[in-house]
DNA sequence: AAAATATGAAGGTCAAAGAAAGTCAAAATG
DNA sequence: CATTTTGACTTTCTTTGACCTTCATATTTT
């Protein structure tokens, strides 16, 4: 008896394979209904199996006509991207984050303007919270941004 | 999975396109009738989709021969950016933030890639904190980023 | 004829109900 | 113990409807 989470994971990955643009839109309740599980189980699957560092971007909308969109970034083909994700980890300080962004520019993976955007986003001034949260949020933001440039 | 609001939004934008992108005049009740919805739904669409930060001005008149006029405006870029900064304020929700970023792309102040970077940075998933902090941090990040494109 | 009033035809507002997705922690499982 | 499952509760976005305001015009009053 394989875990339902695994089944849902596989199901979503199949959907992604079928869609050539590597993005798929689901209805949370519909999917939960289909698999006869709690709707929040879908969130659990997304949170544990479709994270940014695994190369997935999630975007969603509540309310009438709401949806969950799962986008696959092709991380497997980008050894460097995967390394970056690992390097960033769950927590990252400002210095290290800036160093990573500079390296991206050097490697010509981003433009000068994009560098400035990214630096602005992860700056201490932007993330104006207690220090323990700060580095965590910074890691999230940086990983999300890095995922979009590939 | 478009809900009626999205359909009405698209309809009005088509009207605008047909009219050389200048302005278009509608009758609220007529439109509501056409789409089989409550007249106030039209107001909802205008309020959420045709806001100033999206570059629209609404003007209307009640009474016999009343109308609603939707005007697409094009203001000076620097002026627009300054207005945006003010508009963002200290706290901003995800929807509004996304609307602003989309508008920046429309006005060609940012590229498609930059749009994606910015969206990633301000997404709820990046800013993974208690709700009251979230909108505050988002405002900071967005303002910092917008500042870089001046 | 001019002023006052009534009528009906617009559009405006706001709050409640509905429709999704999100969160969090307790319970279950392995 | 770590992972998974469940469900009660929350937040966000949309739809609906009852009631309000404004305006043009028709009608009545002076």
């Amino acid at each position: 008896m394989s875990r339902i989470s695994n089944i849902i994971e596989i199901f979503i990955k199949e959907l992604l394979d079928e869609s050539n643009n590597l993005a798929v839109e689901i209805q949370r309740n519909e999917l939960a209904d289909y698999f006869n599980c709690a709707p929040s189980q879908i969130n659990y699957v997304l949170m544990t199996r479709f994270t940014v560092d695994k190369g997935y971007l999630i975007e969603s909308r509540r309310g009438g006509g709401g949806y969950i969109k799962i986008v696959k970034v092709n991380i497997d083909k980008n050894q460097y991207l995967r390394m970056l994700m690992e390097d960033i980890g769950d927590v990252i300080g400002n210095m290290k984050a800036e160093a990573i962004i500079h390296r991206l520019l050097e490697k010509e993976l981003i433009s000068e303007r994009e560098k400035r955007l990214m630096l602005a986003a992860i700056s201490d001034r932007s993330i104006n919270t207690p220090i323990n949260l700060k580095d965590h949020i910074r890691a999230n933001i940086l990983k999300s941004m890095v995922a979009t440039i590939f």
Side-chain angles (χ1 to χ4, degrees), chain A residues 6-130:
Chain A
N6 294 328
I7 296 172
I8 296 173
E9 175 189 3
I10 289 164
F11 181 81
I12 293 175
K13 284 181 174 166
E14 274 169 9
L15 285 183
L16 276 167
D17 280 345
E18 283 164 25
S19 83
N20 26 8
N21 63 343
L22 297 175
V24 71
E25 227 176 87
I26 60 167
Q27 306 284 129
R28 191 181 74 146
N29 289 344
E30 193 182 280
L31 201 58
D33 235 46
Y34 181 69
F35 285 110
N36 237 293
C37 66
S40 53
Q41 178 104 44
I42 308 299
N43 297 83
Y44 176 72
V45 173
L46 293 177
M47 229 187 290
T48 53
R49 272 93 158 157
F50 295 85
T51 57
V52 236
D53 24 73
K54 289 182 177 151
Y56 297 94
L57 293 175
I58 309 291
E59 144 194 353
S60 68
R61 194 146 185 199
R62 306 186 189 189
Y67 60 87
I68 299 177
K69 187 175 173 188
I70 301 143
V71 183
K72 178 160 187 180
V73 178
N74 81 62
I75 191 169
D76 301 314
K77 293 192 181 134
N78 263 294
Q79 192 53 42
Y80 185 62
L81 173 55
R82 187 187 293 177
M83 191 204 74
L84 272 182
M85 289 297 190
E86 248 172 61
D87 198 21
I88 295 168
D90 289 340
V91 162
I92 192 170
N94 197 44
M95 287 271 122
K96 190 172 171 191
E98 285 188 5
I100 287 176
I101 295 170
H102 280 112
R103 246 188 292 145
L104 287 171
L105 177 64
E106 270 167 38
K107 289 208 150 202
E108 295 187 332
L109 289 165
I110 58 174
S111 69
E112 175 67 31
R113 261 171 71 102
E114 286 163 353
K115 181 200 79 178
R116 275 189 276 128
L117 264 185
M118 293 179 78
L119 287 175
I122 59 100
S123 80
D124 268 6
R125 241 167 302 100
S126 291
I127 311 168
N128 185 14
T129 62

